[in-house]
């Protein structure tokens, strides 16, 4: 257990490309939340020595009194941790590409969270996360909380909870980022815009959006600006008006399934291939530089390559350009609360007495009628004293039918991975609305067994 008056937070996957974002968020809030030790751990020492060291430089520039360290030793990282953030990619970019291409070969969307590829990714992610959860039970503070960013967050969160790891919480910044974009559009603070969200990770709907407590959903849906300058640009205005609510950007893959697949095939490159190529070039260039003594030049290299990655976000899949300005990472600007902000908001509530409103992936517990209490949902919650209270929401009919179907997929995916059952793997893919075929499900299941052979044992 941490010493009295100290708090330790550990990031598993601290050598990731986005490590600087996490470091910025955590260090900017360190004093307020009482963090005296921040540890970034990664089992890829090459990446840790590049992106982890860049994160360390960000931490040092913001507040050099915070004890920020890097390690490749999971026990060292987890020992006495009060909080953990998990953001790992088992198999790296090359395995993501195999996931995507295996599905696309059958004309099926290969997206790594909502698409069929998400199941393959989960087959690798979950066993690794279970190991870290077990280490946390053994070495971390007994009251440790783990915030999981690892995709596919819906299946991962469901499975970890099904396995009894009730100290895990699914986190995604997509819903909060959408609210922030509305706040920017109205020229108000982020706290002025609130929303009632329900559904599943990457399959959620905002039933209500309020500005300073006043409902603005009807006028918001009519604003042409949201279809130009926010992630709502992926949807036809007529569709949004028909559904009658604000949509998570990943719903594009369900409402425009055939267009998404065709756009990717026409582009002849998957999202995974775009990211792989960017990461290879960026890592190669940074590996030749002195991060500790020439950080400003390293930052320019990062901005160049990361900007290309951001500009390509969902561009091939939708055929819509991002229209994003040149990318700039501002170390000293106030943190926008994106990547780690959701976790920090929860922690802030736990350490203080003030209630917080936030969107989490947690067990339903009766909040959304028509789903089971143990179903992990993405939903608006009130956080008080470290406890979460999902808001009861009356779902709309058409969105709810999609939610039910995908939740069935997630339940079966959890069972398949926990029981190492090929039969249930076929079942889960068969009911997935983006597969919806026994023939394709069987082919996919066996192909994913084959490509993941090095990462899994005991399936039958």
């Amino acid at each position: 257990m941490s010493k009295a008056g100290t708090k330790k937070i550990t990031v598993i996957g601290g050598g990731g490309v986005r490590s600087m974002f996490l470091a910025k968020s955590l260090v900017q809030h360190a004093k307020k939340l009482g963090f005296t030790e921040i540890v970034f751990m990664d089992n890829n020492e090459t990446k840790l020595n590049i992106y982890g060291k860049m994160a360390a430089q960000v931490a040092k520039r913001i507040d050099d009194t915070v004890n920020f360290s890097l390690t490749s030793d999971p026990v060292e990282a987890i020992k006495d941790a009060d909080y953990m953030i998990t953001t790992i990619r088992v198999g790296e970019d090359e395995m993501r590409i195999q996931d995507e291409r295996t599905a696309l070969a059958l004309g099926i969307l290969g997206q790594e969270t909502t698409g069929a590829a998400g199941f393959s990714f989960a087959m690798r992610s979950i066993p690794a996360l279970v190991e870290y959860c077990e280490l946390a039970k053994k070495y971390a503070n007994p009251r440790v909380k783990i915030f999981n960013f690892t995709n596919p967050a819906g299946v991962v969160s469901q499975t970890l909870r099904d396995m009894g790891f009730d100290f895990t919480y699914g986190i995604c910044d997509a819903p909060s980022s959408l609210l922030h974009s509305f706040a920017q559009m109205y020229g108000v603070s982020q706290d002025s815009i609130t929303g009632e969200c329900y559904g599943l990770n990457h399959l959620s709907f905002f039933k209500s959006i309020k500005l300073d407590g006043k409902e603005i959903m009807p006028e918001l849906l009519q604003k042409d600006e949201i279809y130009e300058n926010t992630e709502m640009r992926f949807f036809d205005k007529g569709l949004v008006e028909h559904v009658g609510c604000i949509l998570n950007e990943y719903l594009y893959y369900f409402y425009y399934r055939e267009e998404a697949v065709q756009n990717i095939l026409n582009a002849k490159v998957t999202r995974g291939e775009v990211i792989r190529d960017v990461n290879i070039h960026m890592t190669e260039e940074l590996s030749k530089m002195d991060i500790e003594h020439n950080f400003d030049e390293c930052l320019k290299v990062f901005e160049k390559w990361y900007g290309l990655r951001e500009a390509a976000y969902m561009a091939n899949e939708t055929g819509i350009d991002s229209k994003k300005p040149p990318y700039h990472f501002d170390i000293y600007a106030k943190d926008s609360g994106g990547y780690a902000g959701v976790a920090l908001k929860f922690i802030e509530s736990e350490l203080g007495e003030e209630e917080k409103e936030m969107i989490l992936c947690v067990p339903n517990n009766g909040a959304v009628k028509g789903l089971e209490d143990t179903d992990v949902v993405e939903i608006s919650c009130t956080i008080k004293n470290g406890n979460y209270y999902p808001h009861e929401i009356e779902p709309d009919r058409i969105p709810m039918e999609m939610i039910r179907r995908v939740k069935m997929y997630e339940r079966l995916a959890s069972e398949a991975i926990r029981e190492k059952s090929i039969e249930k793997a076929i079942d889960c893919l068969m009911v997935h609305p983006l597969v919806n075929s026994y023939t394709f499900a069987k082919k996919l299941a066996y192909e994913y067994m084959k490509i993941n052979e090095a990462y899994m044992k005991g399936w039958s």
Side-chain angles (χ1 to χ4, degrees):
M1 185 179 299
S2 297
K3 297 176 183 177
T6 68
K7 280 199 167 47
K8 176 179 178 179
I9 185 164
T10 293
V11 175
I12 304 295
V17 169
R18 298 176 74 184
S19 291
M20 287 197 302
F21 300 92
L22 278 168
K24 177 180 175 178
S25 288
L26 296 178
V27 178
Q28 282 193 0
H29 293 85
K31 281 190 167 57
K32 180 180 181 181
L33 299 179
F35 295 144
T36 51
E37 185 176 4
I38 301 173
V39 181
F40 276 33
M41 177 266 163
D42 206 297
N43 56 14
N44 185 324
E45 294 197 36
T46 299
K47 291 173 64 179
L48 189 66
N49 283 324
I50 296 176
Y51 302 106
K53 282 186 176 179
M54 292 186 75
Q57 288 298 309
V58 169
K60 183 178 180 180
R61 292 189 178 205
I62 295 172
D63 186 350
D64 62 5
T65 66
V66 176
N67 181 3
F68 187 100
S69 63
L70 307 175
T71 183
S72 57
D73 182 345
V75 173
E76 178 187 338
I78 292 170
K79 186 173 174 58
D80 299 331
D82 299 281
Y83 303 98
M84 293 168 54
I85 291 174
T86 53
T87 172
I88 63 175
R89 178 171 291 283
V90 181
E92 306 282 357
D93 297 329
E94 289 298 338
M95 287 303 299
R96 174 181 184 170
I97 292 166
Q98 287 193 55
D99 294 341
E100 293 171 340
R101 285 293 178 188
T102 298
L104 282 170
L106 298 174
I108 294 169
L109 182 73
Q111 208 278 332
E112 69 164 353
T113 56
T114 60
F119 179 67
S120 184
F121 192 13
M123 291 166 71
R124 298 190 301 275
S125 297
I126 290 167
L129 289 169
V130 167
E131 289 186 19
Y132 289 120
C133 287
E134 291 292 352
L135 287 174
K137 287 170 67 175
K138 187 174 182 180
Y139 294 106
N141 184 322
R143 294 183 295 279
V144 68
K145 285 185 170 60
I146 298 179
F147 301 97
N148 177 62
F149 286 94
T150 302
N151 278 324
V155 174
V156 167
S157 298
Q158 183 67 58
T159 309
L160 292 178
R161 284 279 178 164
D162 288 343
M163 296 180 77
F165 298 116
D166 57 3
F167 48 76
T168 60
Y169 300 82
I171 299 288
C172 181
D173 59 352
S176 58
S177 295
L178 191 54
L179 291 178
H180 295 167
S181 69
F182 296 152
Q184 186 175 28
M185 191 177 72
Y186 276 93
V188 299
S189 69
Q190 292 180 1
D191 293 338
S192 297
I193 297 282
T194 58
E196 287 294 318
C197 176
Y198 75 98
L200 310 176
N201 179 248
H202 288 182
L203 194 92
S204 55
F205 303 80
F206 278 102
K207 191 177 177 70
S208 167
I209 304 283
K210 292 182 179 179
L211 170 59
D212 293 327
K214 178 186 176 184
E215 183 62 59
I216 60 168
M217 179 72 81
E219 70 175 71
L220 194 60
L221 298 186
Q222 292 300 316
K223 282 185 175 290
D224 291 338
E225 190 177 350
I226 72 168
Y227 305 101
E228 297 171 359
N229 300 324
T230 78
E231 305 298 31
M232 291 291 290
R233 70 185 188 277
F234 302 134
F235 304 102
D236 295 327
K237 186 175 181 180
L239 167 68
V240 177
E241 290 175 332
H242 177 67
V243 179
C245 61
I246 293 294
L247 309 174
N248 186 299
E249 66 222 55
Y250 285 85
L251 283 162
Y252 167 82
Y253 296 111
F254 290 88
Y255 287 124
Y256 303 90
R257 176 184 60 180
E258 69 289 346
E259 290 183 22
V261 172
Q262 192 58 53
N263 285 340
I264 297 169
L265 293 174
N266 290 344
K268 296 182 171 55
V269 62
T270 68
R271 177 65 175 166
E273 288 162 345
V274 170
I275 292 177
R276 177 201 59 192
D277 293 345
V278 166
N279 288 349
I280 286 174
H281 292 301
M282 179 165 59
T283 301
E284 182 180 6
E285 196 166 344
L286 288 170
S287 68
K288 300 173 184 176
M289 302 176 74
D290 187 337
I291 291 169
E292 292 184 5
H293 298 98
N294 200 15
F295 178 69
D296 289 334
E297 291 303 310
C298 292
L299 192 56
K300 290 178 183 178
V301 170
F302 177 86
E303 289 174 339
K304 175 183 68 175
W305 290 110
Y306 194 80
L308 290 174
R309 169 176 163 155
E310 286 296 283
Y313 177 66
M314 288 184 73
N316 287 340
E317 296 89 337
T318 63
I320 299 172
D321 292 333
S322 68
K323 297 182 181 178
K324 291 184 178 181
Y327 183 78
H328 175 59
F329 181 82
D330 191 335
I331 296 174
Y332 303 105
K334 182 180 178 182
D335 181 56
S336 64
Y339 196 44
V342 185
L344 292 173
K345 200 171 184 180
F346 189 109
I347 294 169
E348 187 176 354
S349 169
E350 185 173 44
L351 299 179
E353 296 184 358
E354 185 181 352
E355 291 185 0
K356 299 286 183 181
E357 303 293 314
M358 58 187 298
I359 299 164
L360 284 172
C361 294
V362 291
N364 181 46
N365 290 334
V368 180
K369 303 296 183 291
L371 295 180
E372 297 176 11
D373 287 349
T374 55
D375 285 341
V376 170
V377 294
E378 185 165 85
I379 194 164
S380 296
C381 299
T382 297
I383 311 298
K384 185 175 181 181
N385 298 325
N387 295 313
Y388 65 92
Y389 302 93
H391 296 180
E392 289 192 15
I393 294 177
E394 188 66 37
D396 294 321
R397 184 176 63 175
I398 293 178
M400 190 58 201
E401 186 56 36
M402 188 183 296
I403 291 167
R404 280 196 194 98
R405 187 74 180 273
V406 176
K407 190 69 243 182
M408 175 61 77
Y409 153 73
E410 291 186 351
R411 289 191 205 115
L412 288 168
S414 170
E415 290 179 21
I417 291 169
R418 285 183 288 122
E419 298 172 18
K420 299 183 177 181
S421 167
I422 296 176
E423 183 179 340
K424 287 186 176 175
I426 295 170
D427 285 344
C428 82
L429 290 166
M430 182 171 61
V431 303
H432 194 302
L434 298 181
V435 179
N436 200 32
S437 158
Y438 169 74
T439 307
F440 286 158
K442 187 175 180 180
K443 287 180 181 178
L444 281 170
Y446 279 99
E447 282 297 312
Y448 285 146
M449 297 293 152
K450 187 186 302 180
I451 68 174
N452 285 307
E453 189 174 5
Y455 301 91
M456 43 184 274
K457 297 178 181 178
W459 282 68
S460 60

